[in-house]
Amino acid sequence: MTEFAGELSPPFEIVEPQAWRAPIIFNSPHSGSAYPAEFLEASRIDVAALRRSEDSFMDELIAGLSDRGFPIIRVNFPRSYVDVNREPYELDPRMFTGRLPSFANTRSMRVAGGLGTIPRVVGDGQEIYRERLDVDEALRRIEVLYKPYHRALRRLINKAHQAFGAVILVDCHSMPSVGVSRDEPRRPDVVIGDRYGTSCAPLLPDLVEEMMSSLGYSVGRNKPYAGGFITEHYGNPASGLHTVQIELNRAVYMDERQRERGPRFVQVAADFASLADALAKIPFGDLGPFQAAAE
């Protein structure tokens, strides 16, 4: 990790409560805003454009949950630099000089869209790099940023699982208020992703929808976001491991154009606390080995 001392130190943070109130982990993998100088120099677009891919302030919205007995994780490097919500080697060979490892996944839909582990584009489709990257640089980022994050996340999940017999990982994201396609319907305030019923017991998305609706939010499920690699990879209801993704409409809590916190920011943070409190009341004995729905 010493290669990133200063600019990306620490690359991610885990804040554990003094006493765990429940086996519920809140994760913010896309709110990082520490841009390495060499990355900015290699980019053909400015920081403002790069930041359009950020889930800005999502880490701040959940920061207070550690004081309420819930561990939180935040990633400090930007997703446009390394995206931890991808397989470790979802890489586009068109981006690099040199040969990718034979085990790299070069054909996923995310790679095709330019949004692999080392993204080619930002969220609105703008190309990031002026020139091709050396493949060794991509592999270095994966080794010293991506892999340590996932090792730490697995340790935290295992700790909760061993202590409680079940664990809930809440993967927290935000989405642009308007989709790229004009044909896409108006996005709700919150989109719950459970990989179409496969990443968690159904009582979890049901509870999230009921709670957020009662707080005045419009809620959708799995469209346009069903959950990424983290939701899919760590969700194993048959083993008592449950993941649910929450996508919050950015217009709800921030000014998207100015990238500033909006007037409802404090209230939204309080609503996340209310959601955490509601999740903590789940009878965790009911979340042991559980057969998820078929896809």
Side-chain angles (χ1 to χ4, degrees):
M1 214 65 81
T2 54
E3 293 180 59
F4 293 97
E7 288 184 301
L8 294 180
S9 181
F12 58 88
E13 297 171 83
I14 295 175
V15 183
E16 286 192 58
Q18 289 188 333
W20 285 48
R21 182 173 166 190
I24 305 172
I25 299 164
F26 288 85
N27 180 45
S28 178
H30 284 165
S31 53
S33 59
Y35 289 82
E38 50 84 15
F39 177 48
L40 295 178
E41 290 168 6
S43 174
R44 64 193 298 169
I45 55 179
D46 60 17
V47 175
L50 289 169
R51 293 198 68 186
R52 293 190 190 118
S53 285
E54 281 179 27
D55 293 349
S56 295
F57 313 122
M58 200 68 227
D59 54 341
E60 294 183 27
L61 288 173
I62 64 172
L65 299 181
S66 60
D67 294 332
R68 305 176 76 89
F70 307 99
I72 61 170
I73 310 174
R74 57 181 289 174
V75 172
N76 293 329
F77 53 86
R79 68 178 297 192
S80 53
Y81 189 63
V82 180
D83 193 339
V84 296
N85 197 24
R86 299 290 182 261
E87 296 173 28
Y89 296 99
E90 279 188 273
L91 300 171
D92 185 343
R94 295 171 297 174
M95 287 181 61
F96 307 106
T97 57
R99 179 170 294 184
L100 290 173
S102 60
F103 50 78
N105 180 354
T106 61
R107 296 177 178 270
S108 76
M109 291 295 291
R110 293 181 287 226
V111 168
L115 297 171
T117 317
I118 309 295
R120 176 173 53 83
V121 302
V122 289
D124 57 359
Q126 291 187 78
E127 295 272 347
I128 294 174
Y129 295 98
R130 290 196 188 94
E131 301 174 350
R132 290 190 177 199
L133 284 178
D134 190 297
V135 70
D136 289 339
E137 167 62 16
L139 300 179
R140 180 181 72 105
R141 294 183 196 177
I142 292 167
E143 287 297 324
V144 301
L145 295 174
Y146 179 102
K147 289 185 177 181
Y149 162 80
H150 279 281
R151 283 195 294 268
L153 177 56
R154 277 195 299 272
R155 282 195 298 267
L156 197 63
I157 289 171
N158 290 340
K159 179 178 180 177
H161 195 235
Q162 290 169 10
F164 293 90
V167 60
I168 297 171
L169 176 63
V170 184
D171 206 35
C172 302
H173 297 258
S174 68
M175 59 185 173
S177 58
V178 179
V180 176
S181 171
R182 292 183 178 180
D183 297 329
E184 183 181 328
R186 180 184 177 277
R187 289 180 169 177
D189 298 329
V190 175
V191 173
I192 303 166
D194 65 355
R195 301 293 301 179
Y196 298 97
T198 63
S199 69
C200 62
L203 68 89
L204 290 177
D206 287 351
L207 188 152
V208 173
E209 180 170 1
E210 180 183 347
M211 187 67 194
M212 298 308 285
S213 296
S214 73
L215 292 169
Y217 296 83
S218 58
V219 180
R221 291 212 195 181
N222 290 313
K223 293 181 180 180
Y225 302 105
F229 173 77
I230 290 171
T231 307
E232 182 177 27
H233 181 71
Y234 292 103
N236 185 1
S239 299
L241 305 174
H242 303 266
T243 61
V244 61
Q245 178 176 284
I246 295 178
E247 290 271 1
L248 182 61
N249 191 313
R250 290 175 194 155
V252 170
Y253 72 94
M254 65 179 282
D255 181 323
E256 292 178 274
R257 183 164 295 185
Q258 299 297 322
R259 199 159 300 278
E260 296 174 348
R261 298 162 194 79
R264 293 181 61 190
F265 189 88
V266 173
Q267 183 59 54
V268 173
D271 292 341
F272 263 88
S274 296
L275 174 62
D277 291 344
L279 289 170
K281 295 176 182 176
I282 288 174
F284 289 93
D286 296 348
L287 286 180
F290 184 91
Q291 185 60 49
E295 286 195 68

